Amino acid sequence: MNELIEFAKTAGAGPRRHLVEVVIPVYNEEHVLAGSVGRLHAYLTVNLPYDFRITIADNASTDRTWDVATGLVESLPHVRAVHLDRKGRGRALRQVWSTSDADVVSYMDVDLSTGLEAFLPLVMPLISGHSELAIGTRLARGSSVVRGPKREIISRCYNLLLRATLRARFSDAQCGFKAARTEIVQVLLPSVQDQTWFFDTELLLLAERSGLRIHEVPVDWVDDPDSRVNVLQTALDDLHGIARVNRRIRKGEFGAAVTPRSRPHTSLPAAA
């Protein structure tokens, strides 16, 4: 990790430092929001050699989440909050990413289930120009995952289904730990229809079909026992999303006019 940080400092030298925006979509998370944002803020301050901004995206919470969010904005630098009147993780990411002025946009789940040590390896290939998007993967060699068998089976079956039906080449569509070059994602967003949990998958499928490079980072991941995700309903919504994208592909309606930037021949040091 120290080698990655030193490399990033050298690569990022110049008149303007790169800005990375981290979005945390939340719905009724008053009990964990302050602790998670505080932990993330402390980690990025010490370990990320780029400027950063944390954006809390409140998905129409009905508890005190918004009050906690505004309190964090007042108490921590580089933290802001936006409020949406409707639920939907995809809707929240779309709103923030589509207007961001950062070089790289990203998001992670509020429970911080993914180990933060993977964040720098996630964003560095985007800043260097090596890749256009990056995802954390729990299904690659080098990953360490702690979760129940039900969610493990559903996740693996879902990703196998994506490869079988839509020829997806990325390994883990659902891990809540992703990033993209802002100029690229802002071109892709108008062609992404989903506003909720299938948003990630649709964005990745669109990126692949547009010839973009998706970098994968093995992550350490610990399941949150207090997760609010309805696994069965999410799986059904995902199946509907797969069918919808398949129809759009057959009709020739699934694509975006985006061209990858020329990639420099830069060798990144191996993650420690």
Side-chain angles (χ1 to χ4, degrees), residues 195-207:
Q195 302 279 24
T196 55
W197 297 105
F198 190 69
F199 173 90
D200 298 42
T201 301
E202 189 170 350
L203 180 67
L204 293 175
L205 290 168
L206 182 63

Side-chain angles (χ1 to χ4, degrees), residues 40-198:
L40 174 61
H41 188 278
Y43 184 87
L44 296 179
T45 299
V46 173
N47 295 287
L48 191 70
Y50 310 120
D51 292 334
F52 71 88
R53 177 168 64 229
I54 299 171
T55 300
I56 304 165
D58 179 16
N59 283 124
S61 295
T62 58
D63 64 358
R64 293 188 59 258
T65 292
W66 181 245
D67 293 335
V68 176
T70 54
L72 289 166
V73 172
E74 294 174 358
S75 61
L76 292 175
H78 317 301
V79 176
R80 70 177 186 126
V82 297
H83 184 272
L84 287 82
D85 294 330
R86 299 173 62 192
K87 291 174 61 177
R89 182 178 69 183
R91 181 174 287 108
L93 295 178
R94 183 190 303 276
Q95 176 164 321
V96 179
W97 287 358
S98 63
T99 58
S100 178
D101 62 348
D103 298 285
V104 169
V105 290
S106 64
Y107 93 90
M108 60 183 69
D109 294 333
V110 67
D111 55 26
L112 302 186
S113 292
T114 305
L116 293 177
E117 65 278 359
F119 190 69
L120 182 56
L122 187 80
V123 301
M124 272 189 60
L126 308 178
I127 290 174
S128 73
H130 173 273
S131 304
E132 284 76 48
L133 293 89
I135 64 173
T137 176
R138 299 161 295 185
L139 302 176
R141 181 178 299 176
S143 301
S144 176
V145 178
V146 178
R147 62 176 166 182
K150 179 180 177 181
R151 296 193 70 169
E152 178 75 12
I153 291 171
I154 290 175
S155 178
R156 289 186 178 275
C157 289
Y158 177 66
N159 285 285
L160 284 172
L161 183 62
L162 285 175
R163 288 195 284 275
T165 59
L166 297 173
R167 300 180 182 178
R169 297 186 299 277
F170 47 85
S171 65
D172 190 352
Q174 296 172 310
C175 183
F177 197 74
K178 295 183 174 71
R181 283 174 38 213
T182 308
E183 62 183 298
I184 293 294
V185 82
Q186 288 178 347
V187 176
L188 296 176
L189 284 174
S191 298
V192 178
Q193 295 182 349
D194 193 79
Q195 302 279 24
T196 55
W197 297 105
F198 190 69

Side-chain angles (χ1 to χ4, degrees), residues 212-272:
L212 303 178
R213 182 178 293 179
I214 300 173
H215 181 69
E216 299 201 359
V217 179
V219 297
D220 295 339
W221 195 85
V222 179
D223 191 17
D224 177 16
D226 191 38
S227 174
R228 311 298 175 82
V229 178
N230 184 324
V231 177
L232 179 58
Q233 185 59 53
T234 300
L236 292 174
D237 291 343
D238 286 341
L239 291 176
H240 288 304
I242 290 173
R244 176 173 48 78
V245 167
N246 208 3
R247 288 194 299 271
R248 291 180 67 193
I249 291 174
R250 291 199 305 268
K251 294 179 180 179
E253 299 173 351
F254 192 65
V258 59
T259 302
R261 182 178 60 186
S262 298
R263 300 185 180 98
H265 295 287
T266 304
S267 298
L268 301 182

